[in-house]
Amino acid sequence: MSPITMVEGRRLSLTNLDKVLYPETGTTKGEVLHYCTTTADALLAHLRDRPLSFLRYPDGPDGQRFFTKNVPPGTPSWVKTCDVPHSTSGPTRQVVIDGLAALVWAANLVVELHTPQWTCRAPGIADRLVFDLDPGEPATIVECCLAARWLHARLGADGLDAHAKTSGSKGLHLIVPIEPAPSERVTAYARHLAVEAARALPDLVVHKMTKSLRPGKVFIDFSQNSAAKTTAVAYTLRARATPTVSTPVTWDEVADCTDPAQLTFLFSDIAPRCAAHGDLLAPLLDPDRARPLPGAA
């Protein structure tokens, strides 16, 4: 019989807490749930008001994995949802995590958490810009850091302040708080900078997804600024061989990175980092830190 837990006055049935989800580290589902509760303040801040997409991996990263945007079957009636428009169909409903009880419910499904660059209040109007830096072997996050430093400086020249986090997989994400702008305009500007980076750093960067161009280089994926796309949220666990986390990092850490291990963080690393640094992505949550997006070239 599954244990019943009360969270913020909500009754939750938590299942298979002893199940090993990450065989390489022996990490259990119970430990995953504990991580989500102890990191809840930071996680919830970056989930607030954003429709969720789930990458579910109920049997661990080596088992079946499936991506869903629709509200999962059996979702409790008290879990918040919102209408999300689609260009080819009518609106669908997606989950919005607005408190600890909903977060624990979602964590019990065993999920990666992904959000768009806009909120439920203004679908398709982005309040942040994102670059996903993806290394093609044998390149690693070390090369991503070199590309990130170029983008950091280039964005700064346009009056924009970029913040970095690991993807929790192989690469690096740069996120920029911006004054609300249509996703199409944000995508155009991001594409312009990706093309500019590829011209400035031809031996390091590509801006096209073509696989034959990517070995040994960093693909700057600007497409996640599209209104229909999502990005792994800060502090989410990833469905990788080990329980890695998409982790905010300092620009000093980016500059000093000479080995991928330096920017690989497991869930057990996050509480000490938050104690030492606070939430390094807190500026994304401050409307006063947002800056207007320059016109796309």
Side-chain angles (χ1 to χ4, degrees):
M1 185 174 180
S2 301
I4 300 296
T5 301
M6 295 294 293
V7 181
E8 294 183 329
R10 303 293 188 183
R11 290 171 55 87
L12 294 173
S13 175
L14 305 181
T15 57
N16 302 318
L17 296 182
D18 293 330
K19 184 177 185 177
V20 174
L21 294 178
Y22 295 89
E24 285 196 21
T25 55
T27 304
T28 66
K29 184 177 177 182
E31 291 174 298
V32 166
L33 288 170
H34 182 260
Y35 165 75
C36 289
T37 59
T38 56
T39 318
D41 286 348
L43 257 172
L44 289 170
H46 294 285
L47 293 170
R48 185 171 294 119
D49 293 333
R50 296 182 191 274
L52 269 178
S53 299
F54 296 131
L55 176 64
R56 297 186 61 180
Y57 55 112
D59 296 316
D62 294 330
Q64 182 185 18
R65 297 190 287 181
F66 52 99
F67 198 78
T68 179
K69 292 189 175 184
N70 295 324
V71 176
T75 298
S77 60
W78 51 263
V79 171
K80 183 179 177 181
T81 61
C82 73
D83 283 328
V84 176
H86 286 275
S87 58
T88 57
S89 64
T92 61
R93 294 199 69 79
Q94 290 180 225
V95 167
V96 181
I97 299 296
D98 62 351
L100 181 59
L103 179 61
V104 173
W105 163 80
N108 187 60
L109 299 177
V110 188
V111 292
E112 285 183 3
L113 304 170
H114 296 247
T115 60
Q117 314 315 319
W118 44 265
T119 70
C120 293
R121 297 189 302 273
I125 304 298
D127 60 359
R128 57 185 57 173
L129 176 153
V130 65
F131 291 104
D132 181 2
L133 308 187
D134 186 14
E137 293 183 354
T140 67
I141 199 171
V142 174
E143 285 73 25
C144 291
C145 287
L146 297 175
R149 293 173 68 187
W150 187 92
L151 284 167
H152 185 212
R154 179 62 184 83
L155 289 159
D158 277 350
L160 300 174
D161 187 19
H163 303 269
K165 69 180 179 74
T166 68
S167 68
S169 179
K170 299 178 296 181
L172 201 67
H173 294 159
L174 299 191
I175 311 175
V176 182
I178 59 172
E179 293 181 358
S183 294
E184 295 87 350
R185 185 176 168 223
V186 179
T187 302
Y189 171 74
R191 181 185 185 281
H192 171 67
L193 260 62
V195 170
E196 190 175 325
R199 289 173 179 164
L201 305 169
D203 295 329
L204 178 66
V205 166
V206 294
H207 73 279
K208 295 181 179 179
M209 195 176 290
T210 308
K211 288 186 177 180
S212 62
L213 300 176
R214 294 169 62 177
K217 295 188 178 182
V218 176
F219 170 48
I220 299 181
D221 185 357
F222 57 86
S223 70
Q224 291 181 28
N225 294 286
S226 167
K229 296 289 188 72
T230 61
T231 305
V233 75
Y235 303 105
T236 189
L237 274 159
R238 302 302 304 267
R240 309 292 296 174
T242 58
T244 54
V245 171
S246 184
T247 306
V249 293
T250 69
W251 281 108
D252 284 344
E253 288 177 306
V254 171
D256 293 342
C257 182
T258 58
D259 187 301
Q262 292 173 255
L263 293 184
T264 300
F265 302 102
L266 301 183
F267 74 147
S268 55
D269 296 318
I270 303 307
R273 286 185 61 83
C274 287
H277 300 293
D279 179 9
L280 290 169
L281 295 187
L284 297 176
L285 310 173
D286 181 358
D288 292 335
R289 301 292 290 268
R291 295 293 180 266
L293 193 72

